[in-house]
Amino acid sequence: MNIRRLSTRQPDFNSQLDRLLAFEATQDHQLDATVAAILADVRTRGDVALLEYTRRFDRMEVHDSAALELPPAVLLAAFEGLPAAQRAALEQAAQRVTAYHQKQLQVSWSYTETDGTLLGQQITPLDRVGLYVPGGKAAYPSSVLMNALPAKVAGVGELIMVVPTPDGVRNALVLAAAHLAGVDRVFTIGGAQAIAALAYGTATVPRVDKIVGPGNAYVAAAKRRVFGVVGIDMVAGPSEILVICDGQTDPDWIAMDLFSQAEHDELAQAILLTPDVAFATAVAQSADRLLAQMPRCEIIRTALENRGALIDVADLDEACVISNRIAPEHLELSVADPQQWLPKIKHAGAIFLGCYTSESLGDYCAGPNHVLPTSGTARFSSPLGVYDFQKRSSLIQVSAQGAGMLGEIAEVLALGEGLHAHAQSARFRMGS
Amino acid sequence: MNIRRLSTRQPDFNSQLDRLLAFEATQDHQLDATVAAILADVRTRGDVALLEYTRRFDRMEVHDSAALELPPAVLLAAFEGLPAAQRAALEQAAQRVTAYHQKQLQVSWSYTETDGTLLGQQITPLDRVGLYVPGGKAAYPSSVLMNALPAKVAGVGELIMVVPTPDGVRNALVLAAAHLAGVDRVFTIGGAQAIAALAYGTATVPRVDKIVGPGNAYVAAAKRRVFGVVGIDMVAGPSEILVICDGQTDPDWIAMDLFSQAEHDELAQAILLTPDVAFATAVAQSADRLLAQMPRCEIIRTALENRGALIDVADLDEACVISNRIAPEHLELSVADPQQWLPKIKHAGAIFLGCYTSESLGDYCAGPNHVLPTSGTARFSSPLGVYDFQKRSSLIQVSAQGAGMLGEIAEVLALGEGLHAHAQSARFRMGS
């Protein structure tokens, strides 16, 4: 395997790094037009259109919209049919993810000023959330837990899952995870038509307030288009890992951590930063040796050769600077005393500290969410969390005395902006 | 003035309410194409393109990109040149807005499990934020404070303001507010070209991580297009107020509250819900009488006649149900004992409790933010706040013992998903 070697000592390092990181989702105008037509059609014709698209795209012989819903007994049966080890692992993961996310729960707050004026925020859960789950090979039960459990912890009233079942094939692990996570209703629909049904509602599928979950290019384009009608989570790019290693971790471990990102798909990005040149060479040798054992070796090879890199850095300080420039989705600090480097890390979706913390532990069961900002968006966004399923309303209760004091300020500023009704509205309350 | 009267007792009330609320931002494909071209041009040609567009659209004779920046002394002079009353009002408003937003500051947290595994979130401010401020008549100093101060409270490293100055005309109040709010740099650019400069950076304008602030249709379209390259705040629709009144507030006060929303622009929406039919009539009479005193009476009349309504409801419980359906930007609960109704209010950007709390006090100086979700998006989004300028990184530090326990779970789930590198990566750490 031929993984790119770079060094910050190279004079053109910055431009090489830019090229390595360059990724821009191409906007496909034809796809976008197709999606727009599907959205408009489902919005207008509701269930009739939804059934048509499901017959066409998923080759399902459905003619009755009620048949699109999976009854709870089907989910329960999927859960009870799991091998004991899988069932136990799912349950333990769900318990840990729930416990972690409970720490994120925000509560209403207020304070009262000396003149009796009360200020604060009322924090409430969303009423109804839609969870998109892809069909086929990219359907991950862990993703069902990671998207559904924060919504449940937030207290979302109703959680609606959509999952396409092309040719009628269902994924038992996904349905079992839906049961475990407390999903309220499941519809076997997918693609842009499922996003339309969730955003606008049909006679069968209730309208939701926010849509979360991963999907293909059609789903992503549909989510972008309904943004504003409903809330959406991020539209994710290819997955990435950046490993900073001081050279003291087993090179096999680091090579496998790079693989675990690369095996997701050919566009995934895995990069190592190390001040130890010999260690980088050892990791490359480990990768060569370990690759053959991997069932997804061709995906791993393609990802690492096209988008991977082993980068020599001057020291760990420089590694932190480069990491902040990349703002990686996953960052492993596989170094001695990793906590000391935390204050230097400004942008990362999740930080995995110390040599025992493989990214895969975080993907499944450590507790934190595995839905993370990609493509450098950790500069301004956060992991999916309970806070994505709560919203705030400002609270303002002005006392009679407060209305006098605040009214004088508001009147001056309103007149300065030429808004006389604002000024008069404040003035009416001033003499009271 | 002819404000629409509705009643929930009318058999077609629901469809009438739907028509009243219907507002969809039209997508203008020509405008969108123009914006796309400007973004691409500034991204490619940088300052040269930025200067060209500024000469063309703002009729500014600028040929040196350094001339696009206003030195701090200009902001200071604007502030010091204010009349004493305006200066004091701005200072008091800024102090109150800052004090309120400090309550929103989130801090990093973590906890350690019995086996030594640490989990948490590191919370950090954004590095650099861009604040768009419109030029001309729609430029509000209060908006500068409301957008800039939460960023400063969050600890944002650098705050870059852009404000077009068509024909060289500057708004002294806006510049004074920028000084007061601690804006770090100000560029006299606007439109899609300013959004492009902030999102991609030019030799003169530094690239930011997030762009906030209101703007016209070109600015809104540009913000939508750069979303993902940078973070953006919401894209706001027309402003709205919903007043729920038990009939005990002075009808002049309520009429003026409706005016204060309607005077923003012809598309603004102002609605009253009351169980007291005679009170609704009294408010209509007050509106007729008070209208003539308003400098912006034609805007107020158009907004109220086209998009306003006085709605008779059976009781205050029904008013809350309708309010939740509307999910208003501003909600006045002008009723006795307003706190008792709070648990029934699920969706609203800001809630103004009691007869002394006019919306205008919240717009300027009560403390909470006046940037609020519009068009029913309060179902899933929140007021602008300090949390919009902070981001989170998950923290995971697994102990040697924890790696054994978590590895077993991760291995089972990874194999269930067919991800063998994930499983192996966990397994490597298990025997340690």
Side-chain angles (χ1 to χ4, degrees), chain A residues 164-407:
Chain A
T165 53
D167 303 306
V169 176
R170 296 173 186 169
N171 182 324
L173 265 168
V174 161
L175 299 184
H179 168 80
L180 182 60
V183 168
D184 294 289
R185 300 179 72 182
V186 177
F187 296 92
T188 55
I189 53 177
Q193 62 273 18
I195 300 298
L198 290 171
Y200 303 117
T202 71
T204 302
V205 180
R207 183 180 85 136
V208 303
D209 300 303
K210 186 166 188 167
I211 301 174
V212 300
N216 64 17
Y218 289 87
V219 172
K223 279 168 66 180
R224 276 188 181 275
R225 282 197 163 262
V226 299
F227 174 52
V229 177
V230 294
I232 62 167
D233 59 351
M234 62 202 82
V235 176
S239 197
E240 323 138 15
I241 191 172
L242 180 69
V243 179
I244 295 177
C245 186
D246 56 12
Q248 300 307 303
T249 307
D250 187 325
D252 280 6
W253 296 14
I254 299 300
M256 196 56 66
D257 294 351
L258 300 176
F259 283 8
S260 74
Q261 202 57 38
E263 76 176 335
H264 276 298
D265 69 76
E266 288 86 349
L267 289 171
Q269 183 153 61
I271 296 175
L272 168 68
L273 303 178
T274 181
D276 183 337
V277 181
F279 180 74
T281 302
V283 170
Q285 289 164 350
S286 290
D288 279 333
R289 180 168 40 78
L290 293 167
L291 184 66
Q293 308 169 14
M294 295 289 111
R296 297 165 78 97
C297 58
E298 284 314 313
I299 294 173
I300 293 171
R301 180 198 300 277
T302 304
L304 285 179
E305 292 193 341
N306 290 347
R307 302 204 71 222
L310 309 175
I311 303 178
D312 301 328
V313 294
D315 51 32
L316 294 178
D317 278 298
E318 189 182 58
C320 291
V321 171
I322 295 172
S323 175
N324 286 332
R325 189 167 146 203
I326 296 175
E329 181 189 14
H330 304 97
L331 171 63
E332 279 189 17
L333 290 177
S334 201
V335 298
D337 191 10
Q339 291 272 348
Q340 74 166 297
W341 301 100
L342 265 190
K344 302 200 174 181
I345 300 300
K346 298 203 288 183
H347 316 300
I351 307 171
F352 300 79
L353 298 108
C355 66
Y356 294 112
T357 315
S358 68
E359 187 219 300
S360 61
L361 299 180
D363 285 345
Y364 289 110
C365 55
N369 211 287
H370 77 192
V371 180
L372 298 167
T374 60
S375 307
T377 58
R379 291 183 294 123
F380 53 84
S381 49
S382 300
L384 188 73
V386 174
Y387 34 81
D388 290 301
F389 301 101
Q390 294 185 303
K391 60 207 163 57
R392 304 169 180 87
S393 301
S394 304
L395 297 178
I396 314 175
Q397 182 166 10
V398 176
S399 67
Q401 191 185 337
M405 184 268 289
L406 294 173

Side-chain angles (χ1 to χ4, degrees), chain B residues 358-428:
Chain B
S358 69
E359 187 218 301
S360 61
L361 299 180
D363 285 345
Y364 289 110
C365 56
N369 211 286
H370 78 193
V371 181
L372 298 168
T374 59
S375 307
T377 59
R379 290 183 295 124
F380 53 84
S381 49
S382 300
L384 189 73
V386 174
Y387 35 80
D388 290 301
F389 301 101
Q390 295 185 303
K391 61 208 163 54
R392 305 170 180 88
S393 302
S394 304
L395 297 178
I396 314 176
Q397 182 166 10
V398 176
S399 67
Q401 193 185 337
M405 184 268 289
L406 294 173
E408 298 212 28
I409 305 171
E411 185 181 8
V412 171
L413 295 177
L415 294 177
E417 294 182 353
L419 296 175
H420 289 257
H422 282 68
Q424 182 61 55
S425 172
R427 204 183 298 132
F428 273 148

